[in-house]
Amino acid sequence: METTLRGVGVSHGVAIGEVRHMGTAVLEPPAKQIPAEEAEREQGRARQAVDAVAADLMARGNLAGGEAQAVLEAQAMMAQDPELMADVERRIAVGSTAERAVYDAFAAYRELLANAGEYLAGRVADLDDVRNRIVARLLGVPMPGVPDSDEPYVLVARDLAPADTALLDPTLVLGFVTEEGGPTSHSAILARALGVPAVVALPGAGELAEGTVIAVDGSTGEIFVDPTEDKKAQLEASAAERKAALSASTGPGATADGHKVPLLANVGGPADVPAAVEAGAEGVGLFRTEFLFLDDSKKAPSEEKQVAAYRQVLEAFPEGRVVVRVLDAGADKPLDFLTPADEPNPALGVRGLRTLLDHPDVLRTQLSALAKAAEGLPVHLEVMAPMVADRADAKAFADACRAAGLRAKFGAMVEIPSAALRARSILQEVEFLSLGTNDLAQYTFAADRQVGAVSRLQDPWQPALLDLVALSAEAARAEGGSCGVCGEAAADPLLACVLTGLGVTSLSMGSASIPYVRATLAKYTLAQCERAAAAARATDSAEDAREAVRAVLSGE
């Protein structure tokens, strides 16, 4: 009998297939004491296992490329965290085996993060995966992971570690469903990059029986268990219709009546550029420069290395617009040479622009590298600062750009509610705004963006979040500036219409989402988008906002 479950749809498309569960194993080693004379040998074993796991994660990242590479490199840094390693060695010194010391040290750190409710709590799944890989290596057992299957299937898991998600084979994994996670979790972001339909935050996902046929709608978040033949046909027809609409939709982003809405790509480095070009991106709306700095957490990359990497991306979009976000270090992207290790709450501490203003030499080198990378190119370079709180922040960043001789537009990211509320003030110092809706939702609702239990508050359809978007867009219009969205909200085709109706002037997203957004925008006029935006803001919940917009755009 067909039943319907609902999670959070995070990657478009429909997948129909049998359930296969992620392989799991209890990797808790026995607690036994070792003689003191064996401590040095056990410490060596621990260090070798940690280094091997870090090297494997880096290698997987190199294979995956793009956004996945940055995620896996961050995991490799987590594996080699000096404080964790020191704790492991202390535990071995008092009698633990290497595997038990690793297990207990990671467990202590995990509990600290989970109970503190910090931003880093969203990395608990990543931490568990690193621990399991190290312990499995020490125990000499296979690492649990993606099931071995010759037939295509739908993967079901409590959560997916980046190392597993990054190397999924889309020809075998038709789609995936997780019990944990949220719209902006690593699993969701990588699913969109892979183009695999996905639903996260589905209560009871682990109870779906192995071999059960399910249909996954990554757009609506619906899961149909034992779907009827009619339901399968209906879903497949809808998917075919969407695919045909995507193929027919080409060229610049615009509404049905010709209102232009440039569709840009979010990229993490040169490896993401080919997919952006193939998807027809009109430029880059968010160039995350962290990938360069994650190579070595001990020191910043040289100016020469930065120039070469930036120029690769700039050359790919002649006459196009490339918006570069300067280094956003801190919180879940700690760097040993920049960020303090003892902050009680890193997400609310020295992060983003605050970090750079505390280390002006790092900011100066990056801005100088961008200036040199753009020399002689016809590209329209724009540079923005993360985590701008007020006009003083915006002025400090603009002054630094001018001092570095940067010929570009200067902008501010709106990720903190104060920036949206005082957007007109900030626009006295910079020329454009870019809304990072992932962090803006996190700070507006006090809801960690990686925790599935609060995914309702991370939903970009929340009317309060749309109010802040509207405030920012209205300020930009009044001050003669532009206001884009580069958070994951822009990747939702229906929400893209709402954002356009709110006055947003450009949309930036993962490359795989661009065709969906382009095709949907082309179906509606600007007036329809404005009516949809007004209807969404008049509601009191994300779900009501969605329903109101569907009613407006369907003519009900």
Side-chain angles (χ1 to χ4, degrees), residues 479-546:
E479 297 297 333
S482 61
C483 178
V485 168
C486 64
E488 292 298 318
D492 181 330
L494 206 60
L495 188 51
C497 295
V498 171
L499 297 172
T500 298
L502 291 173
V504 166
T505 55
S506 65
L507 299 167
S508 189
M509 64 208 76
S511 299
S513 298
I514 290 175
Y516 290 92
V517 173
R518 182 192 293 120
T520 304
L521 273 178
K523 292 165 58 178
Y524 305 109
T525 65
L526 177 58
Q528 285 176 298
C529 291
E530 289 171 341
R531 286 197 294 274
R537 291 182 68 191
T539 66
D540 292 313
S541 73
E543 190 53 45
D544 287 348
R546 281 190 185 87

Side-chain angles (χ1 to χ4, degrees), residues 257-316:
D257 54 340
H259 174 73
K260 292 182 179 179
V261 187
L263 303 181
L264 312 171
N266 293 344
V267 304
D272 290 338
V273 167
V277 172
E278 185 180 349
E282 297 167 61
V284 172
L286 173 62
F287 179 5
R288 304 181 183 94
T289 57
E290 289 77 47
F291 80 103
L292 274 173
F293 292 79
L294 291 171
D295 285 346
D296 185 350
S297 69
K298 306 295 183 187
K299 65 180 187 299
S302 67
E303 183 175 310
E304 293 72 24
K305 182 177 181 180
Q306 291 189 56
V307 170
Y310 301 153
R311 195 168 179 90
Q312 273 187 272
V313 176
L314 296 176
E315 286 176 337

Side-chain angles (χ1 to χ4, degrees), residues 168-192:
L168 289 177
D169 182 352
T171 63
L172 283 177
V173 181
L174 302 171
F176 65 75
V177 179
T178 66
E179 192 160 345
E180 298 294 325
T184 57
S185 65
H186 279 155
S187 295
I189 291 170
L190 294 177
R192 286 188 283 270

Side-chain angles (χ1 to χ4, degrees), residues 405-427:
L406 191 61
R407 294 183 178 179
K409 285 186 176 181
F410 314 142
M413 289 200 70
V414 177
E415 301 164 284
I416 303 173
S418 64
L421 294 168
R422 300 291 294 172
R424 291 193 68 169
S425 173
I426 288 172
L427 285 164

Side-chain angles (χ1 to χ4, degrees), residues 117-337:
E118 299 173 1
Y119 185 83
L120 280 174
R123 295 294 174 261
V124 163
D126 296 6
L127 189 72
D128 288 348
D129 181 58
V130 171
R131 177 203 63 202
N132 286 348
R133 289 174 187 280
I134 298 171
V135 172
R137 189 172 187 89
L138 286 165
L139 290 174
V141 301
M143 178 63 205
V146 176
D148 185 18
S149 174
D150 294 329
E151 296 297 322
Y153 59 91
V154 176
L155 181 61
V156 177
R158 186 183 65 80
D159 205 347
L160 285 171
D164 293 318
T165 318
L167 297 181
L168 289 177
D169 182 352
T171 63
L172 283 177
V173 181
L174 302 171
F176 65 75
V177 179
T178 66
E179 192 160 345
E180 298 294 325
T184 57
S185 65
H186 279 155
S187 295
I189 291 170
L190 294 177
R192 286 188 283 270
L194 287 167
V196 176
V199 172
V200 301
L202 179 73
E207 296 171 15
L208 291 167
E210 187 85 2
T212 302
V213 175
I214 63 171
V216 179
D217 190 329
S219 300
T220 66
E222 291 174 304
I223 304 292
F224 302 95
V225 183
D226 291 323
T228 64
E229 292 304 316
D230 284 347
K231 175 59 72 176
K232 289 181 187 177
Q234 177 189 335
L235 290 169
E236 287 168 348
S238 296
E241 186 180 326
R242 278 198 292 259
K243 188 173 181 180
L246 294 181
S247 301
S249 178
T250 58
T255 59
D257 54 340
H259 174 73
K260 292 182 179 179
V261 187
L263 303 181
L264 312 171
N266 293 344
V267 304
D272 290 338
V273 167
V277 172
E278 185 180 349
E282 297 167 61
V284 172
L286 173 62
F287 179 5
R288 304 181 183 94
T289 57
E290 289 77 47
F291 80 103
L292 274 173
F293 292 79
L294 291 171
D295 285 346
D296 185 350
S297 69
K298 306 295 183 187
K299 65 180 187 299
S302 67
E303 183 175 310
E304 293 72 24
K305 182 177 181 180
Q306 291 189 56
V307 170
Y310 301 153
R311 195 168 179 90
Q312 273 187 272
V313 176
L314 296 176
E315 286 176 337
F317 295 95
E319 303 292 343
R321 177 186 178 201
V322 175
V323 183
V324 179
R325 181 179 70 190
V326 294
L327 176 63
D328 183 14
D332 66 333
K333 290 168 281 188
L335 295 171
D336 292 346
F337 69 96

Side-chain angles (χ1 to χ4, degrees), residues 32-94:
K32 63 180 182 180
Q33 291 293 105
I34 59 169
E37 60 268 22
E38 293 184 15
E40 188 173 343
R41 179 179 66 85
E42 288 295 288
Q43 288 171 342
R45 285 182 66 226
R47 284 192 293 271
Q48 287 175 357
V50 165
D51 290 344
V53 167
D56 177 63
L57 289 167
M58 293 291 285
R60 285 169 175 261
N62 290 332
L63 280 173
E67 293 187 74
Q69 184 170 4
V71 171
L72 291 170
E73 286 174 351
Q75 263 198 303
M77 288 168 55
M78 186 183 286
Q80 295 179 305
D81 182 274
E83 289 190 20
L84 265 172
M85 196 62 224
D87 190 18
V88 169
E89 293 186 342
R90 280 194 298 271
R91 292 171 187 271
I92 293 173
V94 296

